Each structure stands twice: as structure tokens, then as C-alpha cells.
Amino acid sequence: MSEADLITADPFIDPSTDPSIRSSQPDFSDVFTLEVGRHASLTLGTDSLILLDEGFAAKTSPKCCGLIPRESKTTRAIPFFNILWAELQEYDIVIHYAHPTSRDVVRVAIIQYLVDKLDRPRVNNWVARLLDRAYGESQRSKRIKVLINPYGGKGSAEKWYHRDIEPIFAAARCMVDVERTQFRGHAVEIAKNINIGEFDVIASCSGDGLPHEVFNGLGQKPDARKALSKIAVVQLPCGTGNALSWNLNGTDSTSLAALCVVKGIRTPMDLMSVSQGATRTLSFLSQAVGIIAESDLGTEHLRWLGDARFTYGLLIRLLRKTVYPCDIAIKVAIDNKATIKEHCRTESAARTSMEEQRKKLETTGSSFSEEEAGLPELRYGTVTDDLPSDWALVPYEKLGNFYCGNMVYMAAKTPFFAATLPHDGLMDLVMVDGDIGLMTSINLLLAVEKNTLFDKPLVKYQKILGYRIIPRGGKDGYISIDGERVPFAPFQTEVHHGLGTVLSRSGHSYEAEGVRSVDVV
């Protein structure tokens, strides 16, 4: 019986006592359990490595108050996700793993046992099975180009890297090359000139600014499509928003994010092209015009307030009932919230087909012809071209917020785009009028954190393929692309299905609840 058969066998039958299994696999312990001494064993469980060691009891059984012996445990479980590496060194089996020291921190720890010289072949086979369970679809020993923004995390990015990240990469046998960015736009140059045959991942110790630069640097390569398919772009969160890490890893902890990169599964992600004037920029996160953009970019002088500066800017503009008149043309794909929910349900249920699409993209990513090597052509032209014939420019006199997103979270606890999916070929657009009452506006903001914004009647939520927006009111307004300020001028955006590559925990979805009432399969 194969290992797969053993895994799918009746879980209530002891495999070692089942005659049918015993006849085909006489020594069941050779498959799952490794004896390491007279009083210890290592077992491959369903989702964890199980350690049974009577020595644990001796280490954990001091008397309580000097009188009553504490209950001791001889068994420990280490989730396979936390296993970083395992190998046989001389006559010792050595396993490196990420040990939780608090809710948001893991540190490298080691377990080591002496094995008999004659058991080496069996131990090597068991180690191979352990690594298969630990990594699954994820690539082992990733080759990672690390970019450190020395100003990230208020100057702490370098310290966090050496303390929290580097030990995890080393324990996982990753090949790492570290470079510090020297100026704004430096990551664009690094990514543009990188040899894509030498690395699997570009990891930014920063906020969301460096990943934005990396995507655009890869997009400037002569073989842009191949580069964006080959190199996975990830974030080691050392900034303020850390949206990329929240969406892909579900955390802004540097050590947990490092573990997620080690175990991350290659996942295609939609990217967006933004054309403004003669410039074409790739966007991975969002574009904003209105109160969100102004409350963020318009309060840069109040950075000393920390996260409170955004709230302050928002309340000031809500009190004034600030509106942002503009003209907008949208290529709508899905305009109905019920249909959007069904779209999310279908995409979530089609997990297998999505993985097949991802593998297909990875397979074809290495065979682009010279004619197709650069970025995809713009289907709808640029902002300076004539408006597509099936688009209509509509005036919005009382617009309060225009927000287009490609990810669920824009920062911690801010799921603005609950229906967003990594690879559905669509952008999510949220629009809200600016002349609504103060309490209504505050309730909408509170709904974001509760993940109930999608269903609010005053919120217009659409799945779209492209749009053009022409802001009015001079040149002193605010437009945000991935959190970066761009000129207050007309721009046009369209989505590219699966153009980028990231590492995610699941390989098919963001680490988010999604739209309420959608069943997660």
C-alpha cells in the first residue's frame, strides 16, 4: 500500500494492526514514525510533526509552590507550516522550525536527536517525507533578492531584518542577496536590471512603496511579461500600511511574514496599467481620488500624529462635506451586488481550475516570443486617446470618494474591497457621494472595519475592466496610486489578468474573510 493509501485509510483503524496494511507494508513505523532513542519518537501526523519524548516531562515538571507536582506533557506538536528544514548530519537528525514566542512572533528553534548508524537510509527517507509535508506546493530553498529601505519602520527596517527575518531565511536554506535602497526610485532600477534567472523572489523590507517600484522595474524590462511571471514580488512589512503583507500573509509581523515567504505558493495576480499624460505606470494595490486620497496625502505634514493623522484629515473633510467634481467613464463588467457575490462564490469554489490556470501561466511564462516580450498592449488605449466607443463620460458633481482596488485590505483592518480576488481579471470600484450627513459618513467608515461596507445602500460597488477619470478644480488636488502621489490630472486605468506573480499562503486567495454571506469552499 502506498503512503497516499495509508493517508486515506480509515482514521479509526490503527494501521499497524490492520492485516491488509501490515501485509503490504510490514513496518508501518518506517513510513510515519521514526524512533529516536529508547524514549522518543517523531511521527508525521495529519498536519503536524508529533514529538513524543519522555524527557519533556523531566524538563517541565517542577513542583507548584514547592508542594504539588505540575502536570507534565511528553508530547509536542509542530505544524508542518512551521517546519523550516530537516536533515541528517553525521548521526544526528536536525530539524529547524519556527517556534511561536508570542502571538505575532516566531523564532528559529532546533530539535536534534542521535540516530543509529544503521538507520541512516531509513532516516533519510523519513526526512524526505517530512520536507514533502512541510513544503507541499511551495518551492524549497528559494533564491531571494532582499531590498531594505533604510528609512522604513522609522529607521528600524535594517534591525528588524537581522533580528526577525534573516535567521528564518537561513534556517530554511534560502539563498539571499541583500541590497539597501539609496534613493527614491532605486528599487525600480534594481528590478529593471536584475537577472531573472538568478532569483525566484524579490522581497522588500519596507511599506508598500518598494513593491510598487519593483513591479514597475520588472515592467520596464525588455522581457517584462516573462520577468513578471518568473519573479514573485513580496513584502517583509516594515512600513505603515503594509497592505501587500496583510493580503497575502494575513499579518504585519516581520517574523511571521518571513515564514510566509519561505512557505509561500506562487500565485498569479492581476496588475493594472495607469496612463497619465505620456506615462504608463503599473499599479498592484489601488487608485484613489477624493476624500481617501486627500486624507492620506494631504496630511503628510502631520506624520508626527502617526495613524491618527488620517483620521484627523478624514473628519475635517467630512465636517466640511467636501466634494470632488469630476467626469468618469467606466467599462463595467458586473454592476449588481448580488451578481458580484455569486461571482465570488463561483471563483472560490473553482479552486482547482484556478490552480490549473496558475500552473499554465507558469508554464507559458518561460516561452514568450520576442514580439510578446514587453508589457501587454493597452486594450483601451491611453488617457490621451479618443474615448472607446462603448464608454460614456458621465459628470459627477458631488463625488466624495472614488476608490479602485486590486486587494481586499488597504491597511490593517480596512477591507475596503471585500469582493476582490487575486486573479479574476477584474478591478473593484467603490464610489460614495460627498454630500451625505456626517453621522452617515462615520457609520460607513465604521462599516469598513466590520467588513459590512459592501452591502451599504449608499456604497456603489462594481467589478470593472477599465475607467477614465477627469478631475476638476485646478492642479492642487490629490490622486493616489498605490499610496504614492501623482499629478492632479486625468488618468486612465485597465486591468491585466494574471500579469504579476506573488507568494500567498493558499495559492489562490487573499487572507481575508471576503464578502459576507459568501460560502468559502
CSV table of all heavy atoms in Angstrom, one decimal, residues 401-427:
chain,number,residue,atom,x,y,z
A,401,ASN,N,-15.9,60.0,-2.9
A,401,ASN,CA,-14.7,59.1,-2.9
A,401,ASN,C,-14.8,58.2,-4.1
A,401,ASN,O,-15.8,57.6,-4.4
A,401,ASN,CB,-14.8,58.2,-1.6
A,401,ASN,CG,-13.5,57.4,-1.5
A,401,ASN,OD1,-12.4,57.9,-1.8
A,401,ASN,ND2,-13.6,56.2,-1.0
A,402,PHE,N,-13.7,58.2,-4.8
A,402,PHE,CA,-13.5,57.3,-6.0
A,402,PHE,C,-12.3,56.4,-5.6
A,402,PHE,O,-11.2,56.9,-5.4
A,402,PHE,CB,-13.2,58.1,-7.3
A,402,PHE,CG,-13.0,57.2,-8.5
A,402,PHE,CD1,-14.0,56.9,-9.4
A,402,PHE,CD2,-11.7,56.7,-8.7
A,402,PHE,CE1,-13.8,56.1,-10.5
A,402,PHE,CE2,-11.5,55.9,-9.8
A,402,PHE,CZ,-12.5,55.6,-10.7
A,403,TYR,N,-12.6,55.1,-5.4
A,403,TYR,CA,-11.6,54.2,-4.9
A,403,TYR,C,-11.6,52.9,-5.7
A,403,TYR,O,-12.6,52.2,-5.7
A,403,TYR,CB,-11.9,53.9,-3.5
A,403,TYR,CG,-10.6,53.7,-2.6
A,403,TYR,CD1,-9.3,53.7,-3.1
A,403,TYR,CD2,-10.8,53.4,-1.2
A,403,TYR,CE1,-8.3,53.5,-2.3
A,403,TYR,CE2,-9.7,53.2,-0.4
A,403,TYR,CZ,-8.4,53.2,-0.9
A,403,TYR,OH,-7.4,53.0,-0.1
A,404,CYS,N,-10.5,52.6,-6.5
A,404,CYS,CA,-10.4,51.4,-7.3
A,404,CYS,C,-9.3,50.5,-6.7
A,404,CYS,O,-8.2,51.0,-6.5
A,404,CYS,CB,-10.1,51.8,-8.7
A,404,CYS,SG,-10.1,50.3,-9.8
A,405,GLY,N,-9.7,49.3,-6.4
A,405,GLY,CA,-8.7,48.4,-5.7
A,405,GLY,C,-8.5,47.0,-6.4
A,405,GLY,O,-9.4,46.5,-7.1
A,406,ASN,N,-7.4,46.5,-6.0
A,406,ASN,CA,-7.0,45.1,-6.5
A,406,ASN,C,-6.7,44.2,-5.4
A,406,ASN,O,-6.4,43.0,-5.7
A,406,ASN,CB,-5.7,45.3,-7.4
A,406,ASN,CG,-5.3,44.1,-8.2
A,406,ASN,OD1,-6.2,43.5,-8.8
A,406,ASN,ND2,-4.1,43.7,-8.1
A,407,MET,N,-6.9,44.6,-4.2
A,407,MET,CA,-6.7,43.8,-3.0
A,407,MET,C,-7.8,44.1,-2.0
A,407,MET,O,-8.4,45.2,-2.0
A,407,MET,CB,-5.3,44.0,-2.4
A,407,MET,CG,-4.2,43.4,-3.2
A,407,MET,SD,-2.6,43.6,-2.4
A,407,MET,CE,-1.7,42.3,-3.2
A,408,VAL,N,-8.0,43.2,-1.0
A,408,VAL,CA,-9.0,43.4,0.0
A,408,VAL,C,-8.6,44.5,0.9
A,408,VAL,O,-9.4,45.5,1.1
A,408,VAL,CB,-9.3,42.1,0.7
A,408,VAL,CG1,-10.4,42.4,1.8
A,408,VAL,CG2,-9.8,41.1,-0.2
A,409,TYR,N,-7.5,44.4,1.6
A,409,TYR,CA,-7.1,45.3,2.6
A,409,TYR,C,-6.2,46.4,2.0
A,409,TYR,O,-5.2,46.1,1.3
A,409,TYR,CB,-6.2,44.6,3.7
A,409,TYR,CG,-7.1,43.6,4.6
A,409,TYR,CD1,-7.0,42.3,4.3
A,409,TYR,CD2,-7.8,44.1,5.6
A,409,TYR,CE1,-7.8,41.4,5.1
A,409,TYR,CE2,-8.6,43.3,6.4
A,409,TYR,CZ,-8.5,41.9,6.2
A,409,TYR,OH,-9.3,41.1,6.9
A,410,MET,N,-6.5,47.6,2.4
A,410,MET,CA,-5.6,48.8,2.1
A,410,MET,C,-4.6,49.0,3.2
A,410,MET,O,-3.6,49.7,3.0
A,410,MET,CB,-6.4,50.0,1.8
A,410,MET,CG,-7.3,49.9,0.6
A,410,MET,SD,-6.5,49.6,-1.0
A,410,MET,CE,-6.7,47.8,-1.3
A,411,ALA,N,-4.9,48.5,4.4
A,411,ALA,CA,-4.1,48.6,5.6
A,411,ALA,C,-4.7,47.6,6.6
A,411,ALA,O,-5.7,46.9,6.3
A,411,ALA,CB,-4.0,50.0,6.1
A,412,ALA,N,-4.2,47.6,7.8
A,412,ALA,CA,-4.7,46.6,8.8
A,412,ALA,C,-6.2,47.0,9.1
A,412,ALA,O,-6.5,48.2,9.2
A,412,ALA,CB,-3.9,46.7,10.1
A,413,LYS,N,-7.0,46.0,9.1
A,413,LYS,CA,-8.5,46.2,9.5
A,413,LYS,C,-9.2,47.1,8.6
A,413,LYS,O,-10.2,47.8,9.0
A,413,LYS,CB,-8.6,46.6,11.0
A,413,LYS,CG,-8.0,45.7,12.0
A,413,LYS,CD,-8.1,46.2,13.4
A,413,LYS,CE,-7.4,45.2,14.4
A,413,LYS,NZ,-7.5,45.8,15.8
A,414,THR,N,-8.8,47.2,7.3
A,414,THR,CA,-9.5,48.1,6.4
A,414,THR,C,-9.9,47.3,5.1
A,414,THR,O,-9.3,47.6,4.0
A,414,THR,CB,-8.7,49.3,6.0
A,414,THR,OG1,-7.4,48.9,5.5
A,414,THR,CG2,-8.4,50.2,7.3
A,415,PRO,N,-10.8,46.4,5.2
A,415,PRO,CA,-11.2,45.6,4.0
A,415,PRO,C,-12.2,46.4,3.1
A,415,PRO,O,-13.3,46.1,3.0
A,415,PRO,CB,-11.8,44.4,4.5
A,415,PRO,CG,-12.4,44.8,5.9
A,415,PRO,CD,-11.5,45.9,6.4
A,416,PHE,N,-11.6,47.5,2.4
A,416,PHE,CA,-12.5,48.3,1.5
A,416,PHE,C,-13.1,47.5,0.4
A,416,PHE,O,-14.2,47.7,0.0
A,416,PHE,CB,-11.6,49.4,1.0
A,416,PHE,CG,-11.7,50.7,1.8
A,416,PHE,CD1,-10.6,51.0,2.6
A,416,PHE,CD2,-12.7,51.6,1.7
A,416,PHE,CE1,-10.6,52.1,3.4
A,416,PHE,CE2,-12.7,52.7,2.5
A,416,PHE,CZ,-11.7,53.0,3.3
A,417,PHE,N,-12.3,46.5,-0.1
A,417,PHE,CA,-12.7,45.8,-1.3
A,417,PHE,C,-12.9,44.3,-1.0
A,417,PHE,O,-12.1,43.4,-1.4
A,417,PHE,CB,-11.7,46.0,-2.4
A,417,PHE,CG,-11.4,47.4,-2.7
A,417,PHE,CD1,-10.3,48.0,-2.2
A,417,PHE,CD2,-12.3,48.2,-3.5
A,417,PHE,CE1,-10.0,49.4,-2.5
A,417,PHE,CE2,-12.0,49.5,-3.8
A,417,PHE,CZ,-10.9,50.1,-3.3
A,418,ALA,N,-14.0,44.0,-0.3
A,418,ALA,CA,-14.3,42.7,0.2
A,418,ALA,C,-14.4,41.6,-0.9
A,418,ALA,O,-14.1,40.4,-0.7
A,418,ALA,CB,-15.5,42.7,1.1
A,419,ALA,N,-14.8,42.0,-2.1
A,419,ALA,CA,-15.1,41.1,-3.1
A,419,ALA,C,-13.9,40.9,-4.1
A,419,ALA,O,-14.0,40.2,-5.1
A,419,ALA,CB,-16.3,41.6,-4.0
A,420,THR,N,-12.8,41.5,-3.7
A,420,THR,CA,-11.6,41.5,-4.6
A,420,THR,C,-11.0,40.1,-4.6
A,420,THR,O,-10.9,39.4,-3.5
A,420,THR,CB,-10.5,42.5,-4.2
A,420,THR,OG1,-11.1,43.8,-4.1
A,420,THR,CG2,-9.4,42.6,-5.2
A,421,LEU,N,-10.5,39.6,-5.7
A,421,LEU,CA,-9.9,38.3,-5.9
A,421,LEU,C,-8.5,38.5,-6.6
A,421,LEU,O,-8.4,39.5,-7.4
A,421,LEU,CB,-10.7,37.4,-6.7
A,421,LEU,CG,-12.1,37.0,-6.1
A,421,LEU,CD1,-13.0,36.4,-7.1
A,421,LEU,CD2,-12.0,36.2,-4.8
A,422,PRO,N,-7.5,37.7,-6.3
A,422,PRO,CA,-6.2,38.0,-6.8
A,422,PRO,C,-6.1,37.8,-8.3
A,422,PRO,O,-5.3,38.5,-9.0
A,422,PRO,CB,-5.3,36.9,-6.2
A,422,PRO,CG,-6.1,36.4,-5.0
A,422,PRO,CD,-7.5,36.6,-5.4
A,423,HIS,N,-7.0,37.0,-8.9
A,423,HIS,CA,-6.8,36.6,-10.3
A,423,HIS,C,-8.1,36.4,-11.1
A,423,HIS,O,-8.2,35.4,-11.8
A,423,HIS,CB,-5.9,35.3,-10.3
A,423,HIS,CG,-5.5,34.8,-11.6
A,423,HIS,ND1,-5.6,33.5,-12.0
A,423,HIS,CD2,-4.9,35.4,-12.6
A,423,HIS,CE1,-5.1,33.3,-13.2
A,423,HIS,NE2,-4.7,34.5,-13.6
A,424,ASP,N,-9.0,37.3,-10.9
A,424,ASP,CA,-10.2,37.2,-11.7
A,424,ASP,C,-10.3,38.1,-12.9
A,424,ASP,O,-11.3,38.1,-13.6
A,424,ASP,CB,-11.5,37.4,-10.8
A,424,ASP,CG,-11.6,38.8,-10.3
A,424,ASP,OD1,-10.6,39.6,-10.4
A,424,ASP,OD2,-12.6,39.2,-9.7
A,425,GLY,N,-9.2,38.9,-13.2
A,425,GLY,CA,-9.2,39.7,-14.3
A,425,GLY,C,-10.1,40.9,-14.2
A,425,GLY,O,-10.4,41.6,-15.3
A,426,LEU,N,-10.5,41.3,-13.0
A,426,LEU,CA,-11.4,42.5,-12.8
A,426,LEU,C,-10.8,43.4,-11.7
A,426,LEU,O,-10.2,42.9,-10.7
A,426,LEU,CB,-12.8,42.0,-12.5
A,426,LEU,CG,-13.5,41.1,-13.5
A,426,LEU,CD1,-14.8,40.5,-12.9
A,426,LEU,CD2,-13.7,41.9,-14.8
A,427,MET,N,-11.1,44.6,-11.8
A,427,MET,CA,-10.8,45.6,-10.7
A,427,MET,C,-12.1,45.8,-9.9
A,427,MET,O,-13.2,45.7,-10.5
A,427,MET,CB,-10.3,46.9,-11.2
A,427,MET,CG,-9.1,46.8,-12.1
A,427,MET,SD,-8.5,48.4,-12.7
A,427,MET,CE,-9.7,48.7,-14.0
